[in-house]
Structures are given as C-alpha cells and as structure tokens.
Amino acid sequence: MRITRDLGSSHAWTLYEGELDGRRVFVKRGADFTSEAAGLRWLAEPGAVAVPEVIRSDGGELVLEWIEPANATAGAAERFGRELAALHGAGAAEFGAPWPGHIAELPMDNAPAPDWPSFYVERRVLPFVRSARDGGWLAAEDVKLIEEACALIPEVSGVAEPPSRIHGDLWSGNLLWTAERAVLIDPAAHGGHRETDLAMLALFGAPHLNTILAAYREAAPLADGWRERVPMHQLHPLLVHVCLYGEAYHGSLMSAVSQTLAL
C-alpha cells in the first residue's frame, strides 16, 4: 500500500489517503480498530445503509474503501431516513454486541443485558459517570442527580421494543454525504434502542434533520413521547464529551439530566 496524502489526526490515531491494488483507500493508524471494523461489517450485513468496505484490519491499522464526499442534499437525507429505518428494523440478537465497545478512544462494555434500560444505565451511563467524577468534571451533587435520572429510566423509556441494529455514535460528523446518499462511518455499533441514533443525529444538528426524521417516521413510526425522550438518550454521548473535553459540556449534560428527571 502506498500512502498518498496525510489527512492529519483524530483522537489517538492518524489519518491518510492511500492506494492499494489500484484503489483509493482511507487509512487509520495508531489504535486497535477491532471494534470499528466489526461494527462496520455488522451494519453492512442487512444491506440497508451504506458503509465503507473494510478492506483490511490488523494490528494498529484499518484500511477502508475511499468515499468521495459531497454536500448533503434533501434527496439524500430523505433516502437516509428510509435506510436508517431499515437498518434498525434488521434488529439485533440482544442488547449489546459480541465485540469490545469503543467510542472515540474510550472503551465501553458491550456485554449483553436483559433489557434496554438495564443496558443503557449499566453499560453506557454509569461507567462514564464514574470516569467523569474521577476526572474531576462532576461534583457529588451532579452524580446524585444523574443517578436519580437513571433510576427513572425504566419507567420513562417508553414502550419496550426489541433490540435494534444501531450505529451507536450517529452524530453529524459520522455521516459522510455523497452525491446520492449518506455513508455511516466510525460506529459504536450494538444492539440498542433506535431512538438513540435519532437523538444523536439531533445532538449537534445533522443536515436536513427534519427531512431525515420525516422519512424515518413514514417508514417506521415512533412510539408516543419520542421527542421528549431525546435528552434521556443524549445522557451517554454528553457524558462521553465531558470525559473527553471536560467543563465545556457540563452544562449541556446537566440540562439533559434535568429534562430526563422531568419526564
């Protein structure tokens, strides 16, 4: 493989454009990409959404199909809404995944749980509460409020649904738009709740979000109260951002906690 261009760095790894057997490729180096490669392949299985082909994953290197980006369009967003609904509808065997979890450079526990509230609280929210507390970003009163919100989640999470096949970190930066459609990159894929992906799209404002949501809801209607539950599903990604970036996200996190407590 020949590296043709240095694309800088992201988190703990470096990024490159390269050429392998006459193909343009995207290369990541400097971390264990087992989770990312497994997640991309799993998301690709149903044929519902576009993800980059995993060409090679070994040691500290991940080689992916090169995707040529373009501006997001309303047509591509509408298509993505339908495709995301189909991905979620493909389902998962359980809440969790059979590979180790990662989000950015942070590890996550993907061990199965019997239901979604248990998985979300025990595998996603509370471990990052402890990390943020130990890092000095959460005071004792913050932790107490988050724990109170967690205790409510089984009651306020809506009608129980079977595990969906979700991306798990579907903020706008992990949607790579082409001329025809959206391509999903950098997953934290697992069997989870489909509202989690939708809440992540809203967190930092995906392009044409209303179009995506309208197409999604037409293909796969959502349970009553889904909009009110968005902050609950954002607790985990906001905690991740507190762990990574500190004080800058503390206010947003505690606002989501307050809204969850008000459900």
Side-chain angles (χ1 to χ4, degrees):
M1 181 175 61
R2 181 171 66 94
I3 297 298
T4 57
R5 184 161 53 121
D6 187 334
L7 299 176
S9 61
S10 176
H11 297 290
W13 41 87
T14 51
L15 312 173
Y16 306 91
E17 180 183 348
E19 184 178 297
L20 178 64
D21 299 329
R23 299 178 61 183
R24 289 175 77 189
V25 294
F26 178 74
V27 184
K28 300 174 75 168
R29 289 176 174 170
D32 182 351
F33 299 107
T34 301
S35 177
E36 182 174 348
L40 286 169
R41 289 175 172 132
W42 186 66
L43 294 176
E45 281 178 5
V49 295
V51 298
E53 176 193 354
V54 178
I55 298 171
R56 188 168 73 202
S57 175
D58 50 33
E61 182 178 81
L62 178 66
V63 181
L64 303 175
E65 167 193 11
W66 179 268
I67 304 295
E68 190 63 33
N71 291 327
T73 66
E78 181 179 352
R79 177 177 180 178
F80 174 60
R82 296 192 301 269
E83 291 178 340
L84 184 62
L87 174 70
H88 291 165
E94 56 199 353
F95 292 105
W99 51 79
H102 270 87
I103 189 164
E105 66 262 35
L106 304 177
M108 295 191 298
D109 185 358
N110 273 347
D115 53 58
W116 181 78
S118 299
F119 179 84
Y120 188 59
V121 170
E122 297 169 13
R123 308 284 191 265
R124 291 295 181 263
V125 178
L126 291 182
F128 287 90
V129 170
R130 292 189 286 269
S131 294
R133 178 201 61 199
D134 294 346
W137 301 118
L138 291 180
E141 55 267 30
D142 298 327
V143 173
K144 182 175 183 294
L145 286 172
I146 298 171
E147 289 175 342
E148 289 175 3
C150 286
L152 281 179
I153 286 176
E155 300 175 27
V156 300
S157 56
V159 178
E161 296 190 0
S164 292
R165 188 173 299 230
I166 72 169
H167 178 283
D169 189 18
L170 198 58
W171 73 287
S172 58
N174 286 342
L175 281 179
L176 185 58
W177 296 92
T178 72
E180 296 82 24
R181 66 198 304 192
V183 180
L184 277 60
I185 61 173
D186 294 346
H190 63 279
H193 199 302
R194 60 193 182 122
E195 290 178 13
T196 296
D197 272 352
L198 302 181
M200 282 295 296
L201 286 172
L203 186 56
F204 300 116
H208 303 286
L209 178 59
N210 288 337
T211 300
I212 295 170
L213 292 175
Y216 183 100
R217 293 174 65 199
E218 183 177 349
L222 293 162
D224 290 346
W226 69 272
R227 290 187 185 275
E228 290 73 22
R229 290 189 291 272
V230 165
M232 179 187 70
H233 287 274
Q234 292 176 343
L235 291 175
H236 171 242
L238 286 169
L239 276 162
V240 169
H241 278 72
V242 169
C243 290
L244 289 172
Y245 306 114
E247 181 65 27
Y249 289 93
H250 179 270
S252 297
L253 168 64
M254 297 315 297
S255 175
V257 172
S258 295
Q259 292 175 78
T260 301
L261 287 168
L263 286 173

